[in-house]
Amino acid sequence: MDLQNYVRDIKDFPKEGVTYKDITPLLLSPEATNFALQQFVVKLKDMRIDKVVGIESRGFFFGTLLAKELNVGFIPVRKPGKLPAETHTESYDLEYGKDTLEIHADAIKKGEQILLHDDVLATGGTAKATCNLIERCGGEVVYCNFLVKLLFLNGGEKLNNYNVHSLIEY
Ligand SMILES: O=P(O)(O)OC[C@H]1O[C@H](OP(=O)(O)OP(=O)(O)O)[C@H](O)[C@@H]1O
Ligand SMILES: Nc1ncnc2[nH]cnc12
């Protein structure tokens, strides 16, 4: 199955000059969703993963599916002001703006091995900020997992020190 057929380009969204990679066609297809999930799991099955961290909001879709599949807990990393308990906070630059992310400070136990998941790796700011959050909680980022990697934005450079994997590259 060619997963690229399930990602569509939306020109000039959310800003002029940005071509947005829309994964909703993939989510609409149970076959493509299951295929992508199994492709992820093949790579992960021999690794020790204690928890999955998914990034709001599109990282929640496959993040929770992956956690269920690996039989481990799921941790949401959220936009500011959404998490109710004590948090750690990181700010970062996006392809189309600036943003801040938060994690519950007690979500990870010291030394736990964490899988980070998001739908798209673009400039890498979001993923790098999330790695920082995980490490501030005492976790170790053992794998950064994405559906889509935008090679021309060089997001991988920000994640030099990490194990990075994606199913679809542009
Ligand atoms: O690699 P980067 O340049 O940091 O960009 C990648 C991030 O941008 C998108 O999130 P967005 O902020 O659009 O939020 P959403 O998931 O809620 O749509 C995407 O889901 C990633 O989280
Ligand atoms: N071009 C893009 N398409 C979808 N999500 C993104 N996140 C950052 N850049 C993106």
Side-chain angles (χ1 to χ4, degrees):
M1 180 179 286
D2 186 354
L3 289 175
Q4 287 211 11
N5 294 333
Y6 294 87
V7 178
R8 63 183 173 184
D9 280 2
I10 310 287
K11 279 207 183 326
D12 298 322
F13 182 88
K15 275 188 179 169
E16 219 177 300
V18 174
T19 299
Y20 184 91
K21 298 293 180 192
D22 179 22
I23 63 156
T24 60
L26 198 157
L27 298 172
L28 265 176
S29 162
E31 294 80 14
T33 297
N34 194 44
F35 180 79
L37 189 60
Q38 295 316 319
Q39 296 286 107
F40 286 143
V41 168
V42 163
K43 294 268 179 194
L44 299 168
K45 64 180 185 341
D46 297 325
M47 297 181 72
R48 186 192 119 201
I49 289 163
D50 298 314
K51 281 171 185 157
V52 175
V53 164
I55 307 172
E56 183 170 359
S57 54
R58 285 176 274 148
F60 291 173
F61 305 136
F62 275 92
T64 48
L65 290 173
L66 270 168
K68 170 78 170 61
E69 195 76 15
L70 298 171
N71 198 31
V72 298
F74 175 79
I75 301 169
V77 157
R78 298 211 60 184
K79 311 258 160 107
K82 300 287 185 184
L83 289 172
E86 191 196 328
T87 58
H88 293 304
T89 299
E90 288 269 338
S91 293
Y92 60 100
D93 292 320
L94 268 182
E95 188 187 3
Y96 36 73
K98 227 180 165 10
D99 221 333
T100 299
L101 288 174
E102 296 184 337
I103 193 169
H104 270 150
D106 63 357
I108 296 173
K109 294 193 191 78
K110 197 169 164 36
E112 281 188 326
Q113 296 199 175
I114 307 297
L115 166 72
L116 176 159
H117 172 77
D118 206 355
D119 65 331
V120 175
L121 174 63
T123 64
T126 305
K128 181 64 176 73
T130 302
C131 289
N132 293 346
L133 287 172
I134 292 167
E135 287 162 3
R136 285 170 62 190
C137 291
E140 184 193 345
V141 181
V142 290
Y143 205 81
C144 298
N145 192 65
F146 304 91
L147 266 174
V148 174
K149 188 199 274 187
L150 303 181
L151 293 169
F152 55 94
L153 291 173
N154 299 320
E157 283 176 14
K158 284 207 182 74
L159 301 177
N160 260 338
N161 301 326
Y162 301 95
N163 198 357
V164 177
H165 173 253
S166 61
L167 291 182
I168 308 166
E169 293 185 341
Y170 294 94

